[in-house]
Amino acid sequence: MTSASELRSGKGDRDENFPVASWIIHPRHRALILAYYNFVRTADDIADHATLPPDQKLAYLDLLEAELLGKGDTQAEAVTLRRALAERGMAPRHALDVLIAFRMDVTKLRYETWDEVIHYCRYSAMPVGRFMLDVHGESTSTWAASDALCAGLQINNHLQDCGKDFRELNRVYLPRDALAASGASVEQLGLPQSPPAMLACLQSLAARNEALLDEGRSLSAEIRDFRLGVDVSVIQAYADRIVGLLKVRDPLRERVHLNKFELLTFSLAGMIGEVGRRAIGRKAISRPGTAHDA
């Protein structure tokens, strides 16, 4: 079978809501993180391939899984990740989880409720955060906040790209019950501008997602690793800005992704905020007379 990497869709530069390969992360973790990233992106490109039939997409995803588990050496991304995980003594669970989501992308084109979308995020987005936390040796107690943040990032992406997903893939992540409640229809996603009903639906979903992102706001403070904490704070800043845009803009008509200036601005804001918080936090938890306790 052809190597999965040869099926890359050629999407070019991506508007990443999950900058997992950030330069902020310590260099000792980057090879493993990039191996995970390349594996996930290859699987994503298979699921989104414009011409590959569904049964072949599923066959390629199955092949990636088999080789990740050691059954073959033909798929470079799977082999590289398998070896990188083995070097760290880590299980492939978070990579296996995302494959579940990509199989859903092949077989499931519509979602009935918000809970169904969250279930999808459990496999498409939450494993990314959990993987990063595991790489850094963080406690599983951080998973709840991470899951909320990652799901919020994923739903931001769904709202940003709702028109493109419908036109190019006939895939709609907007819950049918939310569309019905606003009087909107799936077909309106093919229009160059949202009718009032669709705009109301999109903006109500953005407001609901803002509440979800708030549930993950404690994550950076829960993380022990300084660099990862700063990275998460930057990602949270991106997410807050994007959801703010989604609450007031029409993603069918307007750009709702961050430009380079905004990325720089919110990166700096996130870094400064987290560094400051940790500095204050360290002072707050120190006890009077600590120097005499040594």
Side-chain angles (χ1 to χ4, degrees), residues 93 97 101 117-127 130 147 151:
R93 59 182 300 183
D97 277 352
V117 175
I118 295 297
H119 175 74
Y120 171 79
C121 293
R122 162 63 185 87
Y123 295 101
S124 67
M126 296 179 192
R130 294 180 181 189
D147 287 352

Side-chain angles (χ1 to χ4, degrees), residues 29 35 48 50 72 101 194-195 200-201 211 221 240 276-277 290:
H29 299 308
D48 289 352
S194 293
C201 176
D240 290 342
R277 187 202 65 74
T290 300

Side-chain angles (χ1 to χ4, degrees), residues 176-246:
R176 274 181 166 147
D177 63 353
L179 290 165
S182 297
S185 68
V186 165
E187 291 71 27
Q188 291 172 347
L189 290 170
L191 299 174
Q193 179 174 334
S194 293
M198 177 58 74
L199 188 59
C201 176
L202 292 169
Q203 294 181 349
S204 69
L205 289 170
R208 187 167 187 177
N209 198 43
E210 185 176 46
L212 180 60
L213 287 168
D214 284 341
E215 293 178 23
R217 198 167 300 281
S218 65
L219 179 59
S220 61
E222 295 176 18
I223 289 172
R224 297 189 307 269
D225 185 271
F226 174 76
R227 285 175 176 252
L228 182 60
V230 172
D231 195 47
V232 166
S233 185
V234 169
I235 292 170
Q236 183 82 50
Y238 293 167
D240 290 342
R241 173 58 176 166
I242 290 168
V243 82
L245 293 175
L246 288 165

Side-chain angles (χ1 to χ4, degrees), residues 2 62 127:
T2 303
D62 288 346

Side-chain angles (χ1 to χ4, degrees), residues 17-18 148-158 209 213 235 239:
N17 288 348
F18 293 89
L149 174 58
C150 289
L153 291 166
Q154 181 72 81
I155 293 169
N156 267 357
N157 187 256
H158 289 166
N209 198 43
L213 287 168
I235 292 170

Side-chain angles (χ1 to χ4, degrees), residues 68-89:
L68 178 64
L69 295 174
K71 303 170 185 176
D73 296 299
T74 65
Q75 306 302 310
E77 291 80 6
V79 174
T80 300
L81 178 57
R82 184 181 79 212
R83 292 173 178 168
L85 289 169
E87 287 177 4
R88 297 283 288 266

